[in-house]
Amino acid sequence: MAEPVASAAGATVFGLVSGVAMNGLHLPHDSGVLAGIVCGSAMYLMRAREPSRWHKAIYFSVSLVGGFYLSNWAMPRFPTLPGWLVGFVPAVSIVTIAIPALDWVERNVPSTLDRIRAWALGKLPGGKANDDS
């Protein structure tokens, strides 16, 4: 039972540090938008079933950065929405899109690169596609 507590503590500290860094850099000018972005990013950490802390950290970072840029895009287009909602929805949607995209990359890119390597080695004079040296 100590592992989930340590994982939750690490995620909380990571979230606080990134929130302070974003606020210190004066990225969003509205504290409601900042709170929405951090909460939307933390939503993934609360629901994540990823075994790797690196995956969690990468997804959380993608959510923070992507949520910031999407909320900057959304603020002038939806001026009647509350700031927290303008920050929350982009951060959550980035995670929703990033997880399947990154999973696809992890599954398909290494095998594609292996096929390209084998093809290129086969085209070299005296090269063998199965030579691992």
Side-chain angles (χ1 to χ4, degrees), residues 11 30 45 47 71 75 77 79 82 90-91 97 103 124 129-130:
D30 184 3
L45 291 177
R47 302 288 297 168
S71 65
M75 279 190 289
R77 287 167 178 75
I97 294 168
D103 286 345
L124 292 173
N130 294 330

Side-chain angles (χ1 to χ4, degrees), residues 2-76:
E3 184 64 28
V5 173
S7 177
T12 302
V13 169
F14 186 73
L16 289 173
V17 168
S18 61
V20 168
M22 287 178 68
N23 198 18
L25 294 172
H26 302 291
L27 296 177
H29 299 290
D30 184 3
S31 60
V33 174
L34 177 64
I37 293 170
V38 172
C39 288
S41 299
M43 178 71 79
Y44 167 73
L45 291 177
M46 290 187 302
R47 302 288 297 168
R49 296 194 196 308
E50 286 290 329
S52 168
R53 288 185 185 174
W54 286 108
H55 284 155
K56 289 179 187 177
I58 289 169
Y59 291 150
F60 185 75
S61 300
V62 165
S63 180
L64 279 177
V65 173
F68 167 70
Y69 284 108
L70 275 179
S71 65
N72 278 340
W73 174 85
M75 279 190 289

